[in-house]
Amino acid sequence: MMEDFKAQNEGDNTQAEIEGATGPEPNGGPETETGYEFVHKQLKNVGKKARYRGGFKLHEGSQKYRRMSWAVADYGLRHGINLLRKTGGTTSHLMMPLPAGEFLSIADTLAYKHNKNLPSVSLIDTSKTAQFLTCYANERYGEGSKFWMLTLPAGNGRCGLNELHDAVGEAFKQLKILTEVLSDAEHGWIDILYAQLETPYREGDRTFYPHFHIILETSSEDQIAKEINELLVGYAAGLSLMWSSVSLKPVSKEKFSAVAYYCTKPSQTAFQLAEADHPAEFEEYISRVSKRRMTRSMGGFQRYKSTADRNGQKPGRVYGKGDVSTLKLVDKETRRQDGPKNLPDNSNGATEVEGTDALGGLGAEERICDQHDESHERVEEANVFCGVSTPAPAPGDRLISYSVVKNFRPSEFRKRNRCSGQFNYDEANGEALTAWENNTGQEYSLKKFLEPFAEELARTLEGGNVPYYTITLSLGIKEALAEIMAERKPKDPEFRDPKSEPQNIVESYSVLSRLWEKAKVAVMKIHRSLFGADQRL
């Protein structure tokens, strides 16, 4: 289950545990072998080999979380709760690299606020936390630490809406008690790194189930597992918790990233309330309960993260030879993107943002556009360039990236006198193309680029419009996709998919006739071999 969650949502999911990384490019070093200077430094990795394990923006996991956010926001609007940005403008992700003048845009249909009740938006923060945890663990495994995943109830069972607000506060008081209990270990040490409280909703009896997902770090003594269990037994007994609901599992280095993403996953409670169509519970939860903090970073991990923030560091992938990568802390990179020289002084040609990860295709760059909204009040402005995503593995085992654009309107793209947003997108896409050719050693081919995910893209487009996101293609992309799909059709005109039905009676009769003729020929051959050519059937 945890591995599936990670595959759907991690996006940049080449594993930190892949061994043998050699010669990673240091930050601030030469951008490519040719010495090309990248404005968007993270794009220098586009086209490098990287194992794809899910999380692509067209993946069903992406659709799932987009649908959840749309359902919550739509239900909120119908019941007096607005979770949309005041400045308007939806956010689009434009795939890169593509040929000049082409585009493939994936966009939410609503302009969401940065609100943790919207799962696809909440993934911004949860993914960052999961990556920080993974970086921390990667270092500590090498120093001999062990890690554990602990799941335990926060209270004596389910509770109703009236008790939920107080239950959240009581849960974190119990967490403090747990910290004190675990500190009494006689053999070695036990440290709580991260705790997240979840409150899933059950429609039938209108109750919530508060429970914790906790990540522990311990010393390496052989008896440490027994020590933890003994301390947990005493803790559960003291609070009258059901022992059968307590689960402690060791976490290997290979599985840690999946566990981190599972323990930090976005809350689905607001979506569950909207799906149940319980407006009173929905309004109370959004306006009151959900405003409480549901997570805690603690112990060594809290100190690690604080130090990284002070030093201007963030989790990042460092790519070596082949498809090998390592997740580690890297210096944050800010860039100043200057637009065309002939833009007026009050244009948006200069935008300074920090590159962010394109995790799961779920709006992981929404905050950039939120920040843009705060400083730019021109609501109707089209094609506002917000930045580029950190390259992530895609089908075909290569890294690709996305430009993040607010109010994407391809009808206003033009060859001359380009607006600043189009200029910036064209420049970023050009850098992605350069990196792709440098890292693959081949001239870029649109057909080869699309082939690994052509069927998924075609299937998504054939599914028709959905209310929560749209895909927009340029003419060149449509033609290339149609050519790929035409080439993949069966060559034999007599071949028929077993699932398909004859189109009409004439076609059905024609197929049966051909099959009957083939059968008669086969029977005649068998007869001649048995009785000779002069014997009649």
Side-chain angles (χ1 to χ4, degrees):
M1 180 179 179
M2 290 180 289
E3 289 81 351
D4 293 341
F5 179 84
K6 181 187 177 188
Q8 290 183 357
N9 298 288
E10 186 174 357
D12 186 3
N13 50 27
T14 45
Q15 301 300 298
E17 67 269 14
I18 299 177
E19 302 296 337
T22 57
E25 297 173 344
N27 288 337
E31 308 303 343
T32 68
E33 292 79 357
T34 62
Y36 179 89
E37 288 292 329
F38 282 85
V39 174
H40 307 273
K41 298 187 187 304
Q42 58 266 56
L43 294 183
K44 66 184 179 182
N45 290 317
V46 168
K48 286 188 176 182
K49 291 182 179 180
R51 298 178 190 175
Y52 171 70
R53 293 174 177 168
F56 186 55
K57 285 186 181 290
L58 300 179
H59 191 272
E60 62 182 9
S62 169
Q63 297 177 26
K64 169 187 173 184
Y65 276 88
R66 288 178 187 274
R67 184 175 74 85
M68 286 184 179
S69 290
W70 180 88
V72 172
D74 179 68
Y75 194 78
L77 287 175
R78 289 187 278 121
H79 294 88
I81 298 176
N82 188 358
L83 297 174
L84 304 182
R85 294 199 301 266
K86 293 180 181 179
T87 52
T90 58
T91 301
S92 299
H93 296 79
L94 277 64
M95 187 179 294
M96 302 186 298
L98 293 174
E102 306 293 348
F103 56 82
L104 193 165
S105 165
I106 306 167
D108 290 316
T109 55
L110 298 177
Y112 302 123
K113 289 181 179 178
H114 188 79
N115 187 291
K116 66 181 180 181
N117 292 299
L118 303 170
S120 67
V121 179
S122 174
L123 200 65
I124 304 169
D125 299 316
T126 64
S127 297
K128 181 179 178 181
T129 301
Q131 290 185 331
F132 262 115
L133 282 164
T134 303
C135 286
Y136 176 82
N138 284 343
E139 295 183 15
R140 299 292 291 172
Y141 273 114
E143 298 173 13
S145 290
K146 292 183 178 180
F147 292 87
W148 311 78
M149 174 182 169
L150 172 63
T151 302
L152 77 165
N156 296 317
R158 309 192 69 86
C159 65
L161 179 65
N162 293 334
E163 300 96 11
L164 183 59
H165 186 273
D166 292 338
V168 172
E170 188 63 30
F172 283 99
K173 290 180 182 178
Q174 294 180 9
L175 181 65
K176 185 177 181 180
I177 295 174
L178 177 63
T179 304
E180 296 172 353
V181 168
L182 295 179
S183 67
D184 290 336
E186 296 181 0
H187 305 284
W189 50 268
I190 306 168
D191 194 12
I192 297 179
L193 300 180
Y194 181 82
Q196 178 162 310
L197 183 67
E198 295 187 357
T199 58
Y201 181 67
R202 188 163 66 188
E203 177 181 355
D205 58 4
R206 297 179 182 241
T207 62
F208 301 82
Y209 176 57
H211 64 281
F212 277 113
H213 290 301
I214 298 173
I215 295 179
L216 303 176
E217 179 186 9
T218 70
S219 53
S220 59
E221 286 83 359
D222 293 337
Q223 62 268 43
I224 199 69
K226 181 180 178 182
E227 180 103 29
I228 299 174
N229 273 289
E230 290 175 351
L231 293 172
L232 287 176
V233 168
Y235 168 80
L239 295 174
S240 301
L241 302 180
M242 291 183 59
W243 178 249
S244 60
S245 300
V246 178
S247 172
L248 178 70
K249 296 180 180 179
V251 181
S252 66
K253 184 177 180 181
E254 292 73 22
K255 297 293 184 182
F256 186 90
S257 183
V259 169
Y261 272 86
Y262 181 77
C263 291
T264 62
K265 65 184 182 293
S267 170
Q268 299 181 23
T269 305
F271 170 72
Q272 292 163 349
L273 289 164
E275 287 288 281
D277 193 16
H278 292 169
E281 288 84 352
F282 180 87
E283 183 177 353
E284 173 70 9
Y285 180 82
I286 295 290
S287 61
R288 186 163 179 258
V289 178
S290 71
K291 291 183 178 180
R292 303 203 64 160
R293 282 182 60 205
M294 298 289 189
T295 66
R296 297 288 190 276
S297 295
M298 306 171 68
F301 174 63
Q302 184 183 38
R303 295 188 293 272
Y304 176 85
K305 190 172 181 298
S306 296
T307 301
D309 289 339
R310 286 197 304 270
N311 294 337
Q313 294 178 305
K314 66 172 186 176
R317 289 280 172 188
V318 177
Y319 292 90
K321 295 180 179 179
D323 61 357
V324 177
S325 73
T326 304
L327 185 63
K328 60 187 295 185
L329 291 182
V330 299
D331 293 336
K332 293 180 180 179
E333 293 177 346
T334 58
R335 58 154 186 85
R336 185 169 182 84
Q337 174 58 59
D338 295 321
K341 300 302 181 183
N342 60 351
L343 287 175
D345 293 338
N346 63 350
S347 72
N348 292 335
T351 306
E352 188 169 347
V353 298
E354 177 187 328
T356 56
D357 293 335
L359 295 170
L362 308 174
E365 300 84 11
E366 298 289 345
R367 182 175 290 170
I368 302 176
C369 287
D370 287 342
Q371 293 170 347
H372 188 99
D373 287 337
E374 293 173 2
S375 57
H376 299 277
E377 297 298 331
R378 285 170 289 176
V379 178
E380 297 302 322
E381 183 180 359
N383 301 319
V384 177
F385 182 82
C386 300
V388 301
S389 71
T390 299
D397 295 330
R398 294 280 183 182
L399 294 175
I400 67 171
S401 184
Y402 296 83
S403 280
V404 187
V405 177
K406 196 185 79 167
N407 282 337
F408 176 58
R409 297 177 192 166
S411 61
E412 298 189 20
F413 270 23
R414 47 188 179 269
K415 294 182 179 179
R416 296 182 180 180
N417 298 321
R418 295 173 293 172
C419 67
S420 62
Q422 181 186 351
F423 176 90
N424 292 332
Y425 164 68
D426 288 344
E427 183 172 58
N429 186 53
E431 290 193 336
L433 271 170
T434 298
W436 181 276
E437 294 184 342
N438 287 341
N439 291 323
T440 62
Q442 298 177 354
E443 183 178 356
Y444 179 88
S445 165
L446 178 58
K447 277 186 63 178
K448 289 183 179 179
F449 177 77
L450 294 176
E451 280 174 349
F453 57 92
E455 291 186 13
E456 181 179 5
L457 177 58
R459 187 167 57 250
T460 303
L461 294 172
E462 290 171 0
N465 293 328
V466 293
Y468 44 92
Y469 79 104
T470 58
I471 297 178
T472 307
L473 308 179
S474 61
L475 180 60
I477 304 296
K478 292 179 181 178
E479 291 176 345
L481 181 62
E483 184 177 347
I484 293 171
M485 298 309 294
E487 292 173 353
R488 294 184 181 182
K489 288 183 177 180
K491 303 294 184 181
D492 184 359
E494 294 184 8
F495 173 87
R496 176 167 293 281
D497 188 332
K499 297 181 181 179
S500 65
E501 297 291 338
Q503 296 298 313
N504 50 53
I505 296 176
V506 174
E507 181 183 354
S508 179
Y509 176 79
S510 176
V511 173
L512 290 173
S513 297
R514 288 195 297 270
L515 291 174
W516 173 244
E517 291 299 325
K518 289 183 177 180
K520 287 199 298 184
V521 171
V523 171
M524 289 297 296
K525 288 181 178 179
I526 295 173
H527 183 269
R528 290 193 185 99
S529 66
L530 294 174
F531 304 105
D534 57 341
Q535 296 291 325
R536 297 181 64 85
L537 180 62

